[in-house]
Structures are given as C-alpha cells and as structure tokens.
Amino acid sequence: MKAQRARRFWLVTLAAAVGVLATASLGVWQLGRAANKRAWLAERAAQAALPTADWDALRDAQARGQLSAWAGRTVRLQGRWVAPATVWLDNRPMEGRAGFVVVTPLLPDGGGPAVLVQRGWVARRPDDRQAIPALATPEGPVTVEGRLAPPPSQLFQLGPDAPGPIRQNIRLDAFATEWRLTLLPMSVQQTAPPDTAVDGTPLRRAWATVAVEPAKHVGYAVQWFGLAALISALYVWFQFLSPRRRAS
C-alpha cells in the first residue's frame, strides 16, 4: 500500500513538474516574441523617419545587398503600371472582412527592375467569389507613394495557381518569368494617390504592420505563467495540504 502511494506521489510530481516547465517555457517564449516584435517595430519606425527613397536609392541598396533591411522606408516612385499583370490576391482579410489585395508591377520610366505595388484592398462579393471590380489603371506616367515591405506573404495552397487575375500567391521568380520582368525583391504598400474601382469603390490601405502586436504576446505570456502557477498551487494542495488536513 505504501509502495502504491509512493508511486502515485512521484507520478503526480513528475506530471506537475512537466506541466510547470512546459507552460513556463511557453510564457518565456511569448515574452521573447514580444521583445522581437518591439525591436522590429522600432527598426521599422527608424526606417520610416529616413528621407523618402526613389528608384536610384532602391537600386543602390539592392546592389549593396541592403534592400531587405529597408522595410518601412517611405518611397516616391515615378513610372508606368504594367496593367495586364495585375493580380488579385485572394483570401487576404482586412479589418475582419474577406477580400483581395490588388498587386500591379510598376516599371521605372528610365528602365531597370520593376517593383510589385500592393495598391490596396477590396472586399470580395459574397455571392460570387470570382467577381472582381474593374480597376481604373492609368496608362501614362504615375507617381506612387508608399512604404517598402516584403513581398506579399505566401499562403498555403494545394498545387500551383491557375493562370488568371485571381491567385492565392505571387512567387517572384515565376511571376517575373511569366511577364518577362526583372523584379526587386521587395514590394511597396501604396499609400497615395488614392485608387478607385470603376464602380467608385476606393481601395482600402489599412496596412497592418504586424499580425500580432507585442502587447498580445505579453498577454499570452501572462496566461501561460498563470497556468504554471495554477498547476503548482494544485500540486501543493493535493499532495501536501489536503492530506495533512484529512490526517488532522
């Protein structure tokens, strides 16, 4: 009987120790993610405070291998839209609504690599997933203002995208080959001038800087640490305090 009680005691102790270590580790991990996000946001803010970049600055940064570190830098680019290459990226929610992000390459007037411009977001029609509004795309020279960002994120998909304007993802190499373009390895999230569909619907540009804010990671950490404390408290109660109360 005593051996059985001792075995149960140590099994419970082992389970409690594993639970506390696991939940505490998850809490520390969430705090680390919060710290990384704060550092990343500070770097983005520092880039945004720098002078606005043009095509020459982008090409120079690309030649020096520094363009990827320019995320958040404001840009002002003059060029021409490659309108036939416009893609409507599907399953890109904004502010809790389903819709598309419109992406069009922008070619510099003086030649050189183009850049993908995320022109904005438009809601998807609930009655027809394949319906897209007609977008007014000027044929002449345009001036695009925005901020540098990584290329549009890659979502999970089964098999390659079928040709057409509606796609799940853009893979830069394949897209550049398809349209015979040379593309910079970054994109621009456009902020101005406003773009409008033919039906008068404006493209929304509430670009999210991060998917999860640092404060949420801290909140998740508090939950994990609270769970670790609860496991510890229950262990002490059921292993020590409750038996002593029964014995007394």
Side-chain angles (χ1 to χ4, degrees):
M1 191 71 176
K2 288 184 178 181
Q4 190 176 20
R5 288 179 179 175
R7 185 166 59 252
R8 185 174 61 183
F9 175 86
W10 289 112
L11 284 175
V12 172
T13 299
L14 178 61
V18 170
V20 170
L21 287 174
T23 51
S25 297
L26 288 169
V28 171
W29 176 64
Q30 288 290 351
L31 289 180
R33 295 199 67 189
N36 291 337
K37 289 283 182 68
R38 290 192 195 97
W40 189 79
L41 289 171
E43 184 178 344
R44 292 288 296 264
Q47 287 291 342
L50 294 175
T52 300
D54 57 11
W55 286 112
D56 290 336
L58 297 187
R59 285 190 286 262
D60 182 61
Q62 172 65 9
R64 291 184 282 112
Q66 299 177 350
L67 188 58
S68 60
W70 280 26
R73 182 83 173 261
T74 58
V75 297
R76 191 172 188 271
L77 306 174
Q78 295 180 333
R80 296 174 182 269
W81 295 118
V82 186
T86 297
V87 170
W88 300 70
L89 291 180
D90 200 0
N91 296 314
R92 309 285 169 153
M94 182 174 286
E95 298 176 338
R97 300 177 63 196
F100 304 96
V101 169
V102 186
V103 180
T104 305
L106 183 70
L107 271 173
D109 285 333
V115 67
L116 291 181
V117 179
Q118 300 183 51
R119 298 172 61 183
W121 177 92
V122 65
R124 188 173 61 199
R125 280 177 49 181
D127 60 328
D128 187 354
R129 289 178 56 90
Q130 301 302 311
I132 54 177
L135 183 64
T137 302
E139 296 182 359
V142 295
T143 299
V144 173
E145 298 177 13
R147 67 185 185 195
L148 281 179
S153 58
Q154 299 290 307
L155 304 183
F156 176 77
Q157 68 181 67
L158 297 173
D161 272 320
I166 298 178
R167 304 189 185 189
Q168 183 84 339
N169 295 301
I170 289 181
R171 292 176 173 82
L172 291 187
D173 292 343
F175 190 79
T177 300
E178 178 184 354
W179 294 100
R180 298 180 181 179
L181 294 170
T182 301
L183 291 172
L184 292 173
M186 294 288 280
S187 72
V188 172
Q189 292 177 331
Q190 187 177 356
T191 56
D195 280 333
T196 305
V198 170
D199 64 357
T201 302
L203 296 184
R204 294 187 56 79
R205 292 171 178 159
W207 304 116
T209 306
V210 291
V212 180
E213 295 292 334
K216 286 191 176 181
H217 288 294
V218 174
Y220 297 150
V222 170
Q223 292 177 8
W224 285 119
F225 289 137
L227 185 55
L230 177 61
I231 294 173
S232 300
L234 291 174
Y235 172 77
V236 172
W237 172 258
F238 286 106
Q239 291 289 79
F240 298 103
L241 300 181
S242 182
R244 289 181 180 178
R245 289 186 63 184
R246 288 198 302 266
S248 63

